[in-house]
Structures are given as C-alpha cells and as structure tokens.
Amino acid sequence: MTPREKILQLRGNSPLILPSLLLCDFGDLQSEIALLEKAGVRALHLDVMDGMFVPNMTYGMPIVEGLSRHTSMPLDVHLMIEDPSRYVEQFAAAGSDLITVHVEACSDLKGTLEQIRDLGVASGVALNPDTPLETILPHLELCDLVLCMSVNAGFGGQSFNPVAIEKLNQLVQIREQQRLEFILEVDGGVNVDTIQDCYDAGATWFVAGSSIFRQPCYQLAVSDLTAAATG
Ligand code: DX5
Ligand code: ZN
C-alpha cells in the first residue's frame, strides 16, 4: 500500500483526533507514542517549522524518520516552511504519509502538490486565518486534504479563531459542487469547547495539541474530544 492509500483508507473516519507533536515530551518520544496508541489514536500530526515561514523552529526529517520506525500510525506532516518543494522529496523518504504545505509559502502550489502526489504521498494544502479561500480554489482537485488553520501557524496553545468555521462551510459546498473528496482538517485551539462547531461545519479531522498534551490522561483527553465533537 502506498502512503497515500494509507491516508485515503482513513478518509471516512470522523471524528479523527490527530495529536500534534509539538507539546509532547521529545525526550521520550517512544513512551509518548505508546501512550497515544493506547489512547486509541489512529494518526499523528507532525508540526515542522523553519524559523522563516513562521518565527518558531521545531524539527525536520530525522524525527519523522524516527517516528515512522516506531509506529505504524500514518504520519500527517504539516510543513510550515518557506518554499516546501525543496524538501518534499526528503520528507516523503522519511516516511510521511500526508504532506501538507501552506499556500502562503509556495511559489508554485500546483507544482508542489503534483510533486507530493507523484511520490505516492497524500497531498494537503493549509491556509492561515487571514488567507482568502480563493488562493487555493484553482488547485482543489490536486488536494487530498484541506487544512483550515484556526490560529496563525507557528505556536501551540493559541486560542481558536472562528474564521475557520466560515471556510469549512464554504469548502463543504465547493466540494459537493465539484464532486471532490478532499478531507477537511482543522488545526489550532481545538478543544472540548470549540470542536463541535468545527464538526458541525464539516471538519472530520481535528488536530489537537494542548487539549491532549496538557491533560493528565491522553486516553481521557482523546475520548472527551471525540464525544464533544458529535455533541
Ligand atoms: C500550530 C500548529 C498546531 C498546534 C496545535 O502552528 O500547526 O498543530 O500545535 O496546538 P494547539 O492545539 O495547542 O492549538
Ligand atoms: Zn499543525
């Protein structure tokens, strides 16, 4: 099975909670992964930041590669880096199953999405709260996933910006009109108070950082989020 097929297999899962590996214990990733697997998590969200596209820096290919050796869970890799096409091949080789790039960071969005698909990896496009939806509309048929940011990319622990809800509503309509099948994911400030509005607006994949890693029990955090989504 190709990485893309692995992601497409999970497409119908809703709500799917994806822990964002930004606030976890990087000194003991193996235990963190084991705890998440025990909590019923089915896929991981990896936040890659370059200190250029966003002011913060995190990690790159070696962490993706290390994780891919320790878990069979699909890896949803969120690239918050300038001109991501430079690194797409290396992130694919490191074991990414889904690579999401920011429209604001791409000089050639179409080419970058094609490059990801050609590598057998699922393709995603992300847009920040202030970025108009129109910027991605011409390329939706090349997207397996659209990521509506509900905070400005860069840091965990920010509060939810409801502009993502409007975008999700519009994207649901566009997806229906154009008979497309991209997954709708939301990222930033997702917690038990904000998740239901996202779910009602059509998101099915939910990235969660603080609402998992700042809780004492991951299993409870994941089940609370899942229950809160559907009300
Ligand atoms: C922000 C990242 C998010 C973030 C989510 O730039 O893309 O994945 O870690 O963290 P919370 O859930 O704490 O907002
Ligand atoms: Zn993210």
Side-chain angles (χ1 to χ4, degrees):
M1 203 190 313
T2 65
R4 180 167 182 248
E5 284 163 355
K6 221 164 134 184
I7 292 294
L8 297 185
Q9 248 188 5
L10 271 184
R11 185 163 52 191
N13 282 57
S14 174
L16 189 75
I17 310 293
L18 298 102
S20 141
L21 299 194
L22 189 57
L23 301 170
C24 67
D25 178 2
F26 282 98
D28 193 1
L29 269 181
Q30 224 166 322
S31 307
E32 292 282 55
I33 299 308
L35 282 174
L36 293 169
E37 282 177 349
K38 219 177 117 211
V41 165
R42 308 277 307 275
L44 299 175
H45 180 89
L46 311 188
D47 287 305
V48 176
M49 306 187 189
D50 66 352
M52 296 283 288
F53 176 63
V54 290
N56 198 6
M57 255 200 214
T58 55
Y59 50 81
M61 290 78 79
I63 293 280
V64 178
E65 197 271 329
L67 284 167
S68 73
R69 277 187 289 111
H70 286 288
T71 181
S72 56
M73 284 189 275
L75 304 180
D76 160 14
V77 178
H78 179 190
L79 294 184
M80 287 162 271
I81 66 177
E82 201 56 51
D83 200 2
S85 64
R86 294 174 298 154
Y87 292 102
V88 156
E89 204 171 328
Q90 290 176 61
F91 276 102
S96 310
D97 296 287
L98 162 70
I99 296 180
T100 298
V101 295
H102 268 262
V103 55
E104 307 90 350
C106 292
S107 48
D108 173 15
L109 179 61
K110 180 171 185 281
T112 308
L113 293 168
E114 283 170 345
Q115 189 190 4
I116 298 170
R117 283 243 179 119
D118 287 348
L119 290 160
V121 173
S123 57
V125 67
L127 67 173
N128 272 326
D130 290 341
T131 305
L133 206 49
E134 288 67 34
T135 55
I136 63 164
L137 296 185
H139 308 301
L140 286 178
E141 76 286 352
L142 286 171
C143 298
D144 296 307
L145 175 142
V146 176
L147 170 52
C148 290
M149 293 300 298
S150 35
V151 299
N152 276 317
F155 298 92
Q158 306 180 69
S159 40
F160 184 83
N161 182 337
V163 75
I165 302 287
E166 290 162 40
K167 285 188 179 137
L168 288 166
N169 280 322
Q170 284 172 279
L171 282 162
V172 166
Q173 283 187 15
I174 294 165
R175 186 172 59 185
E176 228 172 76
Q177 282 159 7
Q178 301 188 12
R179 295 168 195 267
L180 297 171
E181 288 189 296
F182 53 82
I183 298 161
L184 282 172
E185 183 179 53
V186 64
D187 182 5
V190 173
N191 57 38
V192 287
D193 298 318
T194 55
I195 196 168
Q196 191 178 8
D197 286 346
C198 302
Y199 181 85
D200 290 343
T204 53
W205 285 24
F206 303 88
V207 178
S210 340
S211 57
I212 294 179
F213 293 103
R214 295 212 171 122
Q215 304 301 315
C217 171
Y218 297 168
Q219 191 158 8
L220 194 62
V222 172
S223 63
D224 282 352
L225 284 166
T226 308
T230 51

